[in-house]
Amino acid sequence: MLHDRGILALGNRVTGTAIEPIGTGLVADSYQITISYSDGGGGPESLVAKLTSDSEQSRAAGRSELNYAREVGFYTEIAPHLQVRVPACFHAEIDSNNTEFVLLLEDLTPARPGNQLTGCTVAETRLAVEQAARIHAPYWGSEELRGNPWMDISSSYWQRFAEMMPEWYDGFRQRYAGRLSEADIALGQEFVDNIAGYYQALEGMPYTVQHGDYRPDNVLFDARGGEVPLVVLDWQTVVYAPGVVDVAYFIGGALDATTRRANEDELLRHYHSELVDLGVDGYPFERLVRDYACATFHNFIIGVAAAMLVERTERGDELFLSMVTNSLTHARDRDGARHIGIHPLAAVNRG
């Protein structure tokens, strides 16, 4: 047992439970547990239990990518030091093989789950980038996490992605051949061929706590019936790496291209202002804009990799394809390719 706030001590007073699956997670399974007590109260009425996926393919991915170890580590070691709202963790445990795990988390329903396929409003996206600053500011530029065995894994993580991306992208292209434009296929291949330049650019950015999969599917809006505006979930991809990647990832996946273009600069200024208010200095807005342009490719990387690593579903197909195509449009708009050594690309026709 790694972490216990006493919730298990209620066991001898529990008279019944009702369990319902929730969420759309692809690497782990989540359930809402409604609890009845012998004395009618004294404990939480419900909890969320998060467990290792039943899918062998997803289990293998969760183990090899340290997804399960990272989420348990986040709740036990990192979450108490951040200013972003996350579910309270009552219990966290993982086996020595970093595969079988359980989290018992605060149930924040009623809430409105984000949905990347339907997107977010500008106001919701603004709230998300504000909360991103509260994830990033406490450890911004800090060396405290350097050497952490489950979090300071960027170099090995990026090296593996650089090695595997040609194979993954080849599989992705074949699977979705009829749904990708020639221009997207070509830019995707250019990126894959120059992925080392992308990771080299990331190495020059300020490191902090990066969520790593910060997108609408991993947040709750109006939690506890509107009491909590936004809660950030699913910390399986947390890593010591540049925070700006989270911002580009969320904005690029949450807004349609027209809405994003009209509001993107204001959203970036809001994020930067929040960082400054939370004590981050020495990071001018002009540098944020440059780093953000490079980070527009994160949706591409995650979309391609996840499509090849997790169990295939209909929703997954729609999600990963949208991540990749939106990312490539985003990169064209911000001229992201130029920042990783690819020839400058003209922005897409906005007419």
Side-chain angles (χ1 to χ4, degrees), residues 40-339:
E45 295 180 357
S46 61
L47 296 169
V48 171
K50 192 165 186 179
L51 310 167
T52 308
S53 173
D54 281 337
S55 161
E56 286 299 328
Q57 185 176 3
S58 295
R59 290 163 66 89
R63 178 175 57 250
S64 66
E65 302 303 317
L66 295 178
N67 294 135
Y68 304 140
R70 284 192 270 175
E71 187 154 38
V72 169
F74 170 79
Y75 279 108
T76 57
E77 299 179 32
I78 303 298
H81 304 290
L82 303 187
Q83 299 179 43
V84 65
R85 182 65 160 93
V86 302
C89 181
F90 298 107
H91 179 75
E93 191 168 356
I94 190 167
D95 70 358
S96 59
N97 198 33
N98 287 331
T99 304
E100 300 297 337
F101 85 102
V102 60
L103 292 168
L104 294 181
L105 302 172
E106 175 187 14
D107 183 5
L108 288 155
T109 56
R112 183 165 48 85
N115 186 328
Q116 186 155 344
L117 291 177
T118 57
C120 295
T121 66
V122 173
E124 290 167 345
T125 305
R126 194 172 195 269
L127 181 61
V129 301
E130 180 179 296
Q131 295 301 306
R134 298 181 184 182
I135 298 170
H136 302 151
Y139 286 93
W140 189 272
S142 171
E143 293 292 308
E144 185 176 343
L145 297 175
R146 186 76 64 185
N148 182 299
W150 54 266
M151 196 166 175
D152 185 14
I153 58 174
S154 291
S155 58
S156 59
Y157 190 66
W158 293 345
Q159 181 179 353
R160 178 169 177 265
F161 268 56
E163 292 171 352
M164 293 302 300
M165 190 56 66
E167 177 182 330
W168 289 338
Y169 186 56
D170 185 57
F172 188 91
R173 287 175 55 176
Q174 292 181 39
R175 179 182 295 181
Y176 303 110
R179 304 178 66 181
L180 293 166
S181 70
E182 291 185 8
D184 280 351
I185 291 173
L187 178 55
Q189 190 62 57
E190 281 190 293
F191 175 78
V192 170
D193 292 343
N194 291 273
I195 194 169
Y198 171 76
Y199 289 127
Q200 185 176 9
L202 292 188
E203 289 174 355
M205 300 178 190
Y207 279 37
T208 183
V209 174
Q210 181 195 104
H211 183 283
D213 195 21
Y214 192 53
R215 56 190 176 86
D217 281 359
N218 291 334
V219 303
L220 295 175
F221 294 105
D222 300 323
R224 287 202 177 279
E227 177 184 331
V228 183
L230 185 145
V231 177
V232 183
L233 310 172
D234 292 333
W235 293 89
Q236 296 172 341
T237 53
V238 67
V239 65
Y240 181 54
V244 68
V245 169
D246 284 338
V247 181
Y249 190 59
F250 197 99
I251 292 175
L255 300 174
D256 66 83
T258 300
T259 304
R260 172 179 53 74
R261 292 164 187 152
N263 295 277
E264 196 164 21
D265 289 342
E266 190 279 329
L267 290 168
L268 289 179
R269 289 196 177 277
H270 185 60
Y271 171 72
H272 187 262
S273 176
E274 287 293 314
L275 284 180
V276 172
D277 289 347
L278 291 168
V280 173
D281 57 17
Y283 189 65
F285 181 72
E286 294 73 20
R287 184 176 177 189
L288 167 63
V289 170
R290 183 176 69 249
D291 292 347
Y292 175 87
C294 178
T296 55
F297 283 106
H298 190 63
N299 260 307
F300 175 88
I301 292 171
I302 300 302
V304 170
M308 296 296 103
L309 288 172
V310 304
E311 182 180 17
R312 188 175 182 184
T313 66
E314 184 177 346
R315 187 181 189 277
D317 281 347
E318 296 301 318
L319 175 61
F320 302 140
L321 188 63
S322 72
M323 291 171 71
V324 166
T325 56
N326 288 343
S327 176
L328 295 173
T329 298
H330 198 185
R332 290 189 188 95
D333 285 350
R334 304 301 298 197
D335 203 7
R338 178 168 57 87
H339 297 278

Side-chain angles (χ1 to χ4, degrees), residues 13-29:
R13 295 168 43 213
V14 173
T15 58
T17 59
I19 302 175
E20 294 289 338
I22 57 173
T24 58
L26 295 169
V27 180
D29 297 330

